[in-house]
Amino acid sequence: MCRICAAVFQADNVAPLLHAGLKRLEYGGYDSAGIATLHGGKLYIKKDKGKIDEIHQALNLDDLPGSIGIAHTRWATHGAPSKVNAHPHTDCKGEIAVVHNGIIENFLELKQELENLRHVFISRTDTEVIPHLIEEYYKRTNNFREACFQALRRLQGTFAIAILSRYAKDMIVVARKGSPLLLGIGNGFNFAASDAIAFLDKTKTSIPLEDGDIAFLSSSSYEIYRIEDATPVKRKTITIDWDLQQASKEGYEHFMLKEIMEQPYTMRLSLGAQKQYVDLLAEFMEKSSKNFLVAAGTSYHSCVAASYLYSRLANLATIPVIASEFIEQYGNAIDVNTTILFVSQSGETYDVINAADFARKKACTVLGICNVIGSTLTRMVRAYVHQQSGPEIGVAATKTYTSQLIIHLLLSISLAKKRGKISQSEMDDIKETINELPSLAEQILISKQKEMLEVSKLIMNKNHVFFLARGMNYATALEGRLKLLEIAYIPSTAYPAGESKHGPISLIEEGVPVIFIAPNDETRKLLIGNIMEMKARKATIITLGEEGDSELMQLSDHYIAMPRMLPIITPILYIMPLQLLAYYTAVNKGLDPDKPRNLAKSVTVL
Ligand code: G6P
């Protein structure tokens, strides 16, 4: 889950540009970082453990000389965060430098082989085998390109790599298998990076590499080949439709807060999702005899909410499944009559891609909802809907979640129409409601900021927080809990309220906060019973419910009043106060909500 970036310019000093690119990639890994440049036939490297700013302060990353370089921000998988384990890694003579995102599965075997050939390793990483392997093949072939081909063919596992060497003076070599990598094509320069955000200020013209591609970049040209047999290939050029301003904090203290607050805007964009693709997805799902919704993390929670929506509006059964479990759980039960909708903000989550690949081989219809055009998922699926949330930098997903819910809602409406399950008057109500979403979101965000700051004080020192709900807001409980747990580090539990008697209630004692998501729908009455049970055990009751609901208000220690709305949109709007709650709790505890420990924005390794 590291991120890499590489650039080759004609004359400009490349180090500050790589440093700026790395800063924008820091969401993908932030336990160590490093840059290597090539100048006058010599490699220069600066790297260390810590955040990029700390490393820059100590080492000044910008004064590395040269117009060609590679860079890396790390999230440790093999070997603890340390200077020696930080990338770039080099060969024995320090003449080949490599940065890598992914995992080399056969590294122990390769390391042994290379050590037998007297290569000396200094780190505990899997990556270090790559420069040594290239060194070894260079010794044998005296041809640097050939050495790269031969070395890469030996690697098992996943990689996005960039290679810099004094044996190839004006060129960077990049390659990918299973980890994201895009070229950024400019006039007089070329980039490669795990995410286009690294080069968006320089160019919006990009080429996503395919698995098994290797590319040779100079400042004025690029060539792409297949690693396996060195055949030249052409790849599609795309234009990135984000700009850097969309990826900056715009005056907010953290990306997470900026991204929470911009939801009214991103909701509008998602509501404008291209109807023909929504209808196309609906058509595949409608024809299919089995439908699965597969995703990880927050995207999975959108699938949980969606399974209620598809059933409720379109009478269609869909099974939400966690991506990493999918093959074990349903692998033998899927076939040509199965449709699987994969949902992934990044389109790069390893478990999602792995499951999609498996499903394709089983001849299933593979569909997607994704935020990144050109990502691996969008290139694997039969059809996808672009959720249009813009770049999300905060590690904890916020605006991309509400966008995914909107796409699911549009899809469920399209399905309902196709299946004739919805009356004209219901349809009119829903249309009206949907159009109100952005303004309701605005109203909630403005009115709830201060209130959630106060509520955060009620929970910030607690040892455990519970989130309970019924129906589709069970997904809201799951997502509210995930936000709190991942950025404020408070152990939290989310349960369908009806199930809480089967275990979690044993943890309830005086003062334990229990957050109920209780909109004015058919779940409300039953939830009142659950609130009474928790109250009887002296829990602190915090309830999100409709404004003016005096019964719920009386039962609650703190009542978060939400505007009136149709039940089907409650998951989209009721999550927002909980996003704010997690944010303020983290900030009150002095934590950085944008960079929660041990987490990465997209998990591109097994
Ligand atoms: C990581 C991120 C989460 C995200 C999940 C799935 O765990 O920290 O925010 O929900 O990956 O990512 P995806 O890009 O597939 O939606």
Side-chain angles (χ1 to χ4, degrees):
M1 268 111 53
C2 314
R3 292 291 180 275
I4 68 168
C5 175
V8 45
F9 278 74
Q10 250 152 23
D12 305 47
N13 201 4
V14 82
L17 304 170
L18 289 172
H19 175 195
L22 272 193
K23 276 298 294 170
R24 297 196 286 268
L25 293 170
E26 202 176 11
Y27 67 83
Y30 33 80
D31 62 43
S32 27
I35 298 181
T37 58
L38 183 68
H39 184 62
K42 193 169 174 299
L43 281 182
Y44 294 83
I45 297 180
K46 289 190 181 182
K47 62 178 187 176
D48 209 342
K49 74 167 185 186
K51 297 201 170 138
I52 294 168
D53 285 347
E54 294 160 4
I55 299 171
H56 179 55
Q57 208 164 21
L59 303 178
N60 188 4
L61 293 170
D62 293 347
D63 71 0
L64 284 160
S67 57
I68 174 166
I70 60 178
H72 187 267
T73 172
R74 179 166 190 250
W75 188 90
T77 55
H78 289 64
S82 67
K83 180 170 183 172
V84 80
N85 287 335
H87 298 218
H89 289 285
T90 61
D91 65 323
C92 299
K93 292 193 232 140
E95 290 177 341
I96 303 165
V98 171
V99 291
H100 166 222
N101 166 29
I103 292 177
I104 306 303
E105 283 161 12
N106 58 338
F107 90 100
L108 281 176
E109 195 180 309
L110 292 171
K111 191 169 173 178
Q112 188 62 62
E113 178 185 322
L114 289 159
E115 278 176 341
N116 292 343
L117 293 164
R118 296 177 185 275
H119 287 261
V120 179
F121 285 79
I122 55 170
S123 79
R124 293 185 150 269
T125 64
D126 52 338
T127 303
E128 201 185 347
V129 298
I130 306 173
H132 287 280
L133 257 189
I134 300 173
E135 178 185 25
E136 186 56 37
Y137 284 110
Y138 185 68
K139 260 192 238 161
R140 297 181 196 176
T141 60
N142 204 25
N143 177 328
F144 190 66
R145 280 192 184 217
E146 186 52 31
C148 290
F149 273 110
Q150 293 199 18
L152 293 182
R153 285 178 197 140
R154 299 286 315 278
L155 303 180
Q156 286 165 19
T158 56
F159 56 79
I161 55 175
I163 309 163
L164 186 68
S165 172
R166 72 173 204 86
Y167 302 129
K169 287 198 185 71
D170 306 312
M171 188 178 77
I172 289 170
V173 186
V174 297
R176 78 161 275 189
K177 186 182 153 212
S179 301
L181 191 61
L182 301 102
L183 307 186
I185 307 300
N187 199 354
F189 66 89
N190 282 311
F191 265 93
S194 309
D195 185 329
I197 201 169
F199 53 71
L200 259 189
D201 56 336
K202 296 278 169 223
T203 178
K204 291 187 168 196
T205 307
S206 175
I207 300 179
L209 292 182
E210 303 265 323
D211 268 350
D213 283 353
I214 180 170
F216 299 92
L217 311 180
S218 73
S219 61
S220 56
S221 67
Y222 62 88
E223 296 161 40
I224 309 172
Y225 299 86
R226 299 297 297 159
I227 296 170
E228 56 183 9
D229 54 10
T231 37
V233 281
K234 282 211 173 329
R235 298 292 177 220
K236 212 168 133 195
T237 303
I238 59 168
T239 305
I240 313 274
D241 61 356
W242 301 343
D243 57 37
L244 259 198
Q245 207 211 345
Q246 284 173 282
S248 78
K249 282 193 217 157
E250 290 170 3
Y252 285 99
E253 200 180 335
H254 296 102
F255 280 111
M256 183 176 177
L257 185 58
K258 177 214 163 202
E259 287 160 2
I260 292 173
M261 297 308 286
E262 74 187 7
Q263 287 178 105
Y265 170 68
T266 52
M267 282 179 178
R268 272 189 199 102
L269 294 179
S270 305
L271 285 168
Q274 283 184 306
K275 194 173 171 319
Q276 74 264 35
Y277 294 115
V278 173
D279 291 343
L280 184 60
L281 260 53
E283 193 147 336
F284 282 122
M285 288 171 77
E286 136 81 350
K287 283 197 195 119
S288 182
S289 57
K290 273 174 272 181
N291 276 292
F292 292 92
L293 312 171
V294 177
T298 292
S299 299
Y300 167 70
H301 297 157
S302 84
C303 293
V304 172
S307 64
Y308 289 85
L309 270 177
Y310 295 134
S311 165
R312 181 164 177 161
L313 290 180
N315 297 12
L316 184 82
T318 53
I319 306 175
V321 193
I322 288 176
S324 57
E325 288 297 313
F326 183 70
I327 298 175
E328 281 297 320
Q329 202 174 358
Y330 293 106
N332 282 345
I334 56 174
D335 54 31
V336 68
N337 298 315
T338 309
T339 292
I340 307 170
L341 175 58
F342 289 92
V343 182
S344 174
Q345 184 283 125
S346 61
E348 302 292 353
T349 299
Y350 179 87
D351 291 321
V352 172
I353 300 303
N354 197 31
D357 191 42
F358 179 89
R360 274 206 310 190
K361 290 182 183 138
K362 286 272 197 167
C364 305
T365 303
V366 173
L367 308 174
I369 296 177
C370 190
N371 194 33
V372 182
I373 296 178
S375 61
T376 307
L377 183 66
T378 61
R379 285 179 286 123
M380 291 175 89
V381 294
R382 187 88 176 260
Y384 72 92
V385 177
H386 180 212
Q387 62 180 78
Q388 311 202 45
S389 325
E392 189 175 65
I393 311 296
V395 167
T398 51
K399 63 175 181 169
T400 56
Y401 177 65
T402 46
S403 287
Q404 286 169 349
L405 291 175
I406 285 178
I407 304 295
H408 283 300
L409 181 59
L410 298 177
L411 196 45
S412 61
I413 293 167
S414 174
L415 273 163
K417 275 198 231 157
K418 277 193 201 324
R419 293 164 69 84
K421 303 294 181 196
I422 204 162
S423 70
Q424 191 52 49
S425 74
E426 262 181 299
M427 186 56 80
D428 292 344
D429 281 355
I430 292 174
K431 271 195 190 138
E432 203 178 311
T433 287
I434 285 182
N435 291 333
E436 277 174 2
L437 265 170
S439 58
L440 280 172
E442 210 157 78
Q443 188 186 324
I444 294 166
L445 286 169
I446 291 169
S447 65
K448 295 298 167 211
Q449 254 185 294
K450 218 160 141 215
E451 185 178 350
M452 299 323 288
L453 177 65
E454 290 311 310
V455 180
S456 75
K457 293 177 189 155
L458 297 178
I459 63 165
M460 63 180 279
N461 295 317
K462 299 289 181 179
N463 297 327
H464 207 124
V465 176
F466 285 83
F467 293 81
L468 298 181
R470 285 172 177 259
M472 59 179 113
N473 279 298
Y474 167 48
T476 314
L478 287 172
E479 179 59 9
R481 168 221 179 220
L482 177 65
K483 292 295 85 114
L484 186 68
L485 174 131
E486 67 182 347
I487 63 166
Y489 312 150
I490 299 182
S492 310
T493 301
Y495 248 73
E499 186 71 8
S500 60
K501 282 198 283 290
H502 300 282
I505 202 161
S506 68
L507 293 172
I508 303 297
E509 51 188 17
E510 188 166 355
V512 172
V514 183
I515 301 178
F516 283 91
I517 299 112
N520 188 9
D521 61 14
E522 57 290 344
T523 66
R524 180 185 167 280
K525 242 199 162 78
L526 290 167
L527 274 172
I528 287 180
N530 298 120
I531 294 177
M532 304 292 275
E533 287 156 14
M534 295 297 163
K535 231 181 137 50
R537 285 157 186 87
K538 301 202 170 80
T540 299
I541 310 291
I542 300 169
T543 310
L544 274 97
E546 192 173 279
E547 59 199 0
D549 189 329
S550 51
E551 190 178 5
L552 275 181
M553 256 186 259
Q554 266 171 23
L555 290 173
S556 309
D557 297 289
H558 189 97
Y559 191 71
I560 302 158
M562 299 288 283
R564 273 180 88 91
M565 64 186 81
L566 266 194
I568 54 161
I569 60 166
T570 53
I572 305 173
L573 296 171
Y574 275 58
I575 189 59
M576 293 190 319
L578 299 180
Q579 294 169 338
L580 287 169
L581 179 64
Y583 172 77
Y584 286 119
T585 310
V587 172
N588 281 342
K589 289 180 75 172
L591 302 168
D592 180 350
D594 285 343
K595 298 190 185 84
R597 71 177 171 226
N598 303 337
L599 296 177
K601 182 72 189 154
S602 92
V603 180
T604 53
V605 293
L606 187 63

